Amino acid sequence: MRQKQTKTAIGGCALLTAAACATMQAPTTELSQLQRDLEQAERAGLAQSAALELRFANERLAGARLAIEQHEYEQALQLIEQANINIELAEERAAAADARATVTELKRRNDTLRRDLGLDEDRGQ
Amino acid sequence: MTRVITALMIFGLAACGSAPRKDLDAERLTLQLAELRGGELSGYAPEKQARAAQVIAGLEQQGLSDQQHQHQSYIAQRTLEIAQTAAERERDEALAIELESEHKEILLQASLREAELARQETERLRLQSAAAIEEAERARAEAQAALEARDASDRQAQMAQQEADQARRLAQAREREAALARQEAELASLAAAELRKQLDALQSQRTDRGLVMTLGDILFETGEADLKTETLDNLDKVLSFVQSNPGHIRVEGHTDDRGSAAFNLQLSQRRADTVRRVLEQQGIAAERITAIGQGEARPIADNSSESGRQQNRRVEIIIEDPMAGESP
């Protein structure tokens, strides 16, 4: 998949000839920003609730590095963008998992309370 | 110039090679977005949904290379997932707020119910205490009644005792009375026996004055001129004496020397009169009888002793000898 993408990207870039590639700078700033964001996300424990998204982001980080080495800057930028949106999704998933856990806990607490107080009959499911 | 040509070349290739797949991605994502917006999460994370819609719409734009389209599709896919996840999160956050207020509601209900239970418990205790007070009052009343009953029975017992005492005293009094009556009766019967003995023993004696029968003092009521009833009922001897002997009857009354001589004279005369009257009532002719009171003048015994005085208190019935008067 990535292999094919890369090939396609290279192909695309080749088709664009010097025009696009020559004018672009290597996105090293974006790359190092991505690296920092990823490290921070991992420190924040997102690997537990959104392991898949973080793995995608890491793969794209690696791909972006490779693309930069090969001077495929546009592809590198796309990969960085993909990595970033995976991090964003990972954060969103973590927050959603927290909210879900909170809801589950609150439901459990209310159910327990109702049961302990014998109020089950008063309210529906 | 070169760029335009190149771009046209790329566009031409892309258009020819990827047009069907492009549509497929866009269609799939548009469908997914429509589901999100039309479903239960429609109202949540609106700005993220809008962003996803924008990115997905961007897929429709012309002039993207195959790779660019693939990239944009990926980004669109992820953006839609972010919108979806954010909507779920927001829904859960709203749900959490709801659950929190539900929690408060449960606690409120619990405290209301607790208050109700406490109220019921208080009411129960109040009733219980009222019942206890009532019970105590009843017990007190019962104790009071028992006390009163005991007093009453004491009083009754006391009254019964008094009655018994009274009855006993009455019985004693009656016994005494009966004893007295018995004694009296005994005395009376003794007196009657004495009287009868005297009446039975009445005998006449021949003296120089004639035949004399002496009626003792006992035959008269004490201190009176009247004869006792028993005497009147037993006059057979006296009557047969006066009927079987002819001659004038001289009745003489005598007393002892106690009291005044005048009283004694009068009493002796009245006793003599009584005897004369009795004899007349029995059919003896009045002209045959003379009654004379002699008082204390002619005693036959010594007046210094009781037995002597008793002998002196007497009435003599004398039938005079007709010959005695004729012979000088």
Side-chain angles (χ1 to χ4, degrees):
Chain A
M1 173 79 172
R2 210 185 64 181
Q3 193 74 7
K4 195 181 167 192
Q5 264 188 349
T6 312
K7 272 182 185 168
T8 316
I10 290 164
C13 203
L15 282 170
L16 286 167
T17 60
C21 296
T23 54
M24 281 185 77
Q25 299 252 320
T28 52
T29 313
E30 288 85 346
L31 188 77
S32 45
Q33 180 62 46
L34 169 62
Q35 194 156 356
R36 281 197 298 278
D37 288 350
L38 248 177
E39 281 163 9
Q40 198 197 330
E42 274 160 1
R43 275 200 303 277
L46 296 186
Q48 279 152 28
S49 48
L52 191 64
E53 283 74 18
L54 283 193
R55 187 155 67 82
F56 290 157
N58 270 307
E59 285 169 2
R60 274 152 186 78
L61 174 65
R65 271 202 201 100
L66 197 64
I68 289 169
E69 279 171 24
Q70 295 170 357
H71 306 284
E72 300 288 352
Y73 301 142
E74 192 188 344
Q75 194 190 4
L77 275 174
Q78 285 178 353
L79 289 169
I80 288 168
E81 193 185 354
Q82 288 179 14
N84 279 328
I85 202 145
N86 270 301
I87 291 172
E88 195 185 333
L89 180 56
E91 283 167 348
E92 201 56 68
R93 286 215 195 288
D98 284 353
R100 185 100 293 258
T102 303
V103 165
T104 306
E105 170 57 21
L106 289 176
K107 271 185 179 160
R108 193 195 56 74
R109 186 182 64 171
N110 287 358
D111 288 348
T112 306
L113 198 56
R114 276 203 210 93
R115 199 184 57 236
D116 288 354
L117 296 172
L119 294 171
D120 299 71
E121 317 79 28
D122 303 345
R123 301 178 71 105
Q125 288 284 318
Chain B
M1 184 64 149
T2 320
R3 278 179 72 182
V4 174
I5 292 162
T6 312
L8 282 172
M9 282 173 67
I10 292 167
F11 179 73
L13 274 173
C16 294
S18 310
R21 211 192 63 196
K22 230 192 251 180
D23 287 345
L24 270 179
D25 282 342
E27 258 174 53
R28 182 173 53 79
L29 290 170
T30 305
L31 205 67
Q32 283 177 359
L33 177 65
E35 274 174 22
L36 174 61
R37 288 181 140 176
E40 56 158 353
L41 295 172
S42 63
Y44 298 105
E47 70 290 349
K48 285 182 176 156
Q49 289 196 30
R51 177 180 153 206
Q54 201 180 353
V55 173
I56 289 165
L59 292 176
E60 307 289 346
Q61 66 179 292
Q62 304 296 304
L64 285 177
S65 70
D66 197 20
Q67 194 207 338
Q68 277 174 329
H69 183 266
Q70 204 171 15
H71 168 68
Q72 287 305 329
S73 290
Y74 186 88
I75 296 297
Q77 174 69 47
R78 283 301 190 241
T79 310
L80 183 59
E81 276 184 60
I82 285 168
Q84 183 113 28
T85 309
E88 281 170 10
R89 175 177 56 76
E90 284 191 10
R91 182 203 57 198
D92 283 353
E93 281 167 359
L95 206 54
I97 289 166
E98 221 173 280
L99 286 167
E100 283 288 2
S101 68
E102 198 176 290
H103 183 246
K104 286 194 186 98
E105 174 66 20
I106 292 169
L107 289 177
L108 180 67
Q109 274 187 19
S111 70
L112 283 175
R113 202 183 53 169
E114 209 164 304
E116 172 62 14
L117 285 176
R119 197 191 60 72
Q120 286 174 1
E121 176 67 5
T122 306
E123 177 65 8
R124 194 181 64 75
L125 288 174
R126 195 187 64 72
L127 288 174
Q128 211 169 41
S129 118
I133 286 166
E134 207 174 307
E135 179 63 27
E137 180 59 29
R138 192 162 52 237
R140 199 194 60 71
E142 271 170 26
Q144 179 71 24
L147 214 61
E148 278 166 9
R150 206 192 59 193
D151 285 356
S153 89
D154 280 359
R155 272 198 304 278
Q156 217 166 358
Q158 212 170 347
M159 263 162 62
Q161 181 65 42
Q162 282 171 358
E163 265 171 40
D165 286 352
Q166 217 161 4
R168 194 168 45 74
R169 278 197 298 274
L170 189 64
Q172 282 173 354
R174 278 184 181 150
E175 205 174 313
R176 266 199 310 277
E177 208 174 313
L180 282 171
R182 204 160 47 241
Q183 215 174 342
E184 224 168 273
E186 268 169 36
L187 286 173
S189 85
L190 273 177
E194 178 64 21
L195 192 69
R196 236 182 330 272
K197 207 174 76 187
Q198 287 222 3
L199 284 166
D200 288 347
L202 280 176
Q203 280 189 344
S204 56
Q205 291 173 304
R206 183 161 293 274
T207 66
D208 54 351
R209 290 181 295 157
L211 288 169
V212 178
M213 180 174 273
T214 303
L215 305 180
D217 171 59
I218 194 173
L219 304 180
F220 291 86
E221 297 285 354
T222 311
E224 297 289 331
D226 294 334
L227 283 163
K228 287 181 177 169
T229 316
E230 292 90 332
T231 310
L232 291 171
D233 290 344
N234 294 280
L235 284 172
D236 301 350
K237 287 256 171 138
V238 179
L239 286 175
S240 71
F241 170 63
V242 294
Q243 283 165 354
S244 58
N245 293 295
H248 189 75
I249 300 166
R250 181 184 172 88
V251 179
E252 284 183 8
H254 302 274
T255 67
D256 57 20
D257 62 353
R258 293 296 168 97
S260 71
F263 175 81
N264 286 337
L265 192 64
Q266 193 189 4
L267 179 62
S268 63
Q269 180 63 56
R270 280 168 43 216
R271 281 186 167 180
D273 288 344
T274 298
V275 172
R276 180 182 57 186
R277 192 171 63 248
V278 166
L279 290 176
E280 282 173 3
Q281 281 166 0
Q282 297 298 324
I284 307 303
E287 58 273 17
R288 248 191 95 190
I289 307 167
T290 308
I292 300 163
Q294 301 281 19
E296 58 188 63
R298 295 195 179 171
I300 54 168
D302 187 357
N303 269 319
S304 58
S305 76
E306 173 55 31
S307 68
R309 287 195 291 272
Q310 194 172 6
Q311 285 180 60
N312 288 335
R313 298 192 295 268
R314 69 200 190 275
V315 171
E316 292 174 345
I317 301 170
I318 306 156
I319 300 175
E320 292 173 340
D321 187 354
M323 303 307 289
E326 285 173 19
S327 60

